[in-house]
Amino acid sequence: AQKVTQAQTEISVVEKEDVTLDCVYETRDTTYYLFWYKQPPSGELVFLIRRNSFDEQNEISGRYSWNFQKSTSSFNFTITASQVVDSAVYFCALSEVNFNKFYFGSGTKLNVKP
Amino acid sequence: DVKVTQSSRYLVKRTGEKVFLECVQDMDHENMFWYRQDPGLGLRLIYFSYDVKMKEKGDIPEGYSVSREKKERFSLILESASTNQTSMYLCASSLNIQRSSGNSYEQYFGPGTRLTVT
């Protein structure tokens, strides 16, 4: 069974629109970490955020915000006032404490048009 | 600045050749990983290593092997390359989660090697 599901394969928005990327995960562990990575066209994955399972506080970093809800096993990512430079593939990932492995979703490609 | 480097950005090999992909990290990380990335499939784990000379199969190990003789270096080997191994290969490293206490626990990725097998 897939541990991380990103149902949105590709999203296109116009600059300055807000956009939310969905991530749903599955785990039996009580302690785990969730991540978001950005992969720009250059190819290298860039770490954006880490969240542990005991910290359900939402986080905001500039135009980026993350909503973690254990009740729905979701860790969604919102970009406010999107810009062309936000165009990339975004990956959500899960790591279970006991295994040191990372499980990645299939990614969401975000196209921001001027 | 933390760094994961991979030996080649682009590689073209012929079917049946033995292929070595090298990955080096300078962060003293215990864990190292090899993924392949294909359109629509995300990142799929091939192998990972949690210590020198230790390795574990990931989700798609068939046709691959790995070597970790030194902590900083993790090699992916395609014993006999086939066209269905044409892909982007990504190396990553991380601290062991117990050592990191969570504060610096994430994967750092190399730039990737785009391998074409003809």
Side-chain angles (χ1 to χ4, degrees):
Chain A
Q2 202 163 10
K3 287 187 176 279
V4 179
T5 302
Q6 294 179 255
Q8 304 150 309
T9 307
E10 189 164 352
I11 301 174
S12 292
V13 298
V14 176
E15 213 170 14
K16 297 184 183 173
E17 279 187 37
D18 299 347
V19 58
T20 295
L21 309 182
D22 297 332
C23 174
V24 174
Y25 63 92
E26 178 187 329
T27 180
R28 293 181 182 175
D29 279 16
T30 54
T31 306
Y32 52 89
Y33 289 85
L34 295 164
F35 306 82
W36 275 96
Y37 284 84
K38 175 182 180 179
Q39 187 179 39
S42 59
E44 193 161 338
L45 271 84
V46 176
F47 165 75
L48 295 177
I49 189 170
R50 173 201 323 106
R51 233 356 164 218
N52 75 51
S53 51
F54 298 111
D55 183 0
E56 281 193 78
Q57 269 195 323
N58 292 331
E59 179 152 341
I60 298 174
S61 175
R63 296 184 296 106
Y64 294 173
S65 62
W66 291 269
N67 181 274
F68 175 28
Q69 292 201 343
K70 284 175 81 169
S71 60
T72 56
S73 297
S74 64
F75 186 43
N76 296 337
F77 173 29
T78 297
I79 302 175
T80 303
S82 59
Q83 300 176 2
V84 172
V85 293
D86 295 326
S87 296
V89 180
Y90 291 87
F91 291 96
C92 180
L94 162 75
S95 183
E96 295 162 330
V97 163
N98 293 325
F99 297 103
N100 273 289
K101 282 170 68 173
F102 289 69
Y103 301 93
F104 283 81
S106 54
T108 297
K109 184 176 182 182
L110 175 65
N111 302 305
V112 182
K113 300 174 183 176
Chain B
D1 206 15
V2 296
K3 215 151 178 97
V4 179
T5 56
Q6 294 183 230
S7 48
S8 307
R9 285 303 300 267
Y10 299 94
L11 209 52
V12 179
K13 295 292 182 181
R14 292 188 185 274
T15 301
E17 278 193 78
K18 192 168 185 176
V19 182
F20 293 87
L21 303 183
E22 305 284 340
C23 175
V24 177
Q25 51 95 3
D26 65 0
M27 297 164 281
D28 198 34
H29 284 170
E30 291 85 5
N31 300 334
M32 295 189 74
F33 307 80
W34 276 107
Y35 296 91
R36 64 177 281 177
Q37 182 179 11
D38 301 288
L41 297 177
L43 276 67
R44 292 182 292 167
L45 182 65
I46 305 171
Y47 268 98
F48 75 101
S49 169
Y50 50 89
D51 202 349
V52 174
K53 296 193 187 293
M54 306 302 286
K55 62 185 179 185
E56 280 201 25
K57 292 180 180 179
D59 301 317
I60 51 164
E62 297 79 19
Y64 303 95
S65 61
V66 290
S67 171
R68 188 148 180 221
E69 297 296 319
K70 293 185 178 181
K71 190 175 185 180
E72 66 271 18
R73 188 179 297 269
F74 191 35
S75 302
L76 180 69
I77 303 154
L78 287 65
E79 297 290 342
S80 177
S82 64
T83 54
N84 63 13
Q85 292 179 310
T86 292
S87 187
M88 171 70 91
Y89 289 88
L90 295 168
C91 175
S93 71
S94 77
L95 283 171
N96 180 290
I97 192 169
Q98 283 77 17
R99 185 157 83 93
S100 75
S101 71
N103 292 330
S104 53
Y105 180 60
E106 67 249 22
Q107 284 191 327
Y108 295 86
F109 282 85
T113 296
R114 187 164 292 283
L115 172 67
T116 302
V117 183
T118 60

